[in-house]
Amino acid sequence: MSKIEKIIKSMENAPQNVRFSDLEKVCVHYFGEARSKGTSHHVYKTPWQGDPRVNIQKDKSGKAKAYQVKQVLAAIKKLKEEQGE
């Protein structure tokens, strides 16, 4: 199991306990570099228009926000479905 797969497994099991840096690694792996990093938000481009958007930011504790972790998981699922995986 690769490091990315391990992070995704932990994201699925406990979305409220994911380090922002781990979520960022997963997003870069699936969606490429963020198109916007100038603010606290990191926005990743997806091959489709509209939701689910991939927009992440740290919470006050340095962890990823749980609802954004869930959005990233939904975007990965949609991406895999479109690729026929």
Side-chain angles (χ1 to χ4, degrees):
M1 183 180 286
S2 74
K3 181 158 176 75
I4 296 295
E5 290 170 335
K6 288 179 185 177
I7 294 170
I8 290 174
K9 197 55 102 175
S10 70
M11 288 168 56
E12 292 169 342
N13 292 332
Q16 73 284 357
N17 196 25
V18 176
R19 289 185 300 205
F20 180 79
S21 61
D22 285 343
L23 183 61
E24 189 175 24
K25 286 176 192 171
V26 170
C27 288
V28 168
H29 176 80
Y30 282 100
F31 307 110
E33 289 295 323
R35 68 175 187 203
S36 171
K37 278 188 175 178
T39 64
S40 62
H41 293 260
H42 293 218
V43 180
Y44 295 89
K45 185 175 177 160
T46 57
W48 58 84
Q49 299 237 340
D51 288 327
R53 293 187 184 106
V54 179
N55 176 10
I56 63 173
Q57 69 186 118
K58 290 181 193 174
D59 68 8
K60 289 179 174 76
S61 69
K63 295 195 183 275
K65 295 185 175 188
Y67 78 93
Q68 291 174 340
V69 171
K70 292 174 185 174
Q71 288 175 343
V72 169
L73 289 170
I76 291 169
K77 181 180 178 186
K78 182 174 181 176
L79 183 67
K80 286 183 175 182
E81 286 172 356
E82 287 188 359
Q83 293 174 345
E85 289 183 31

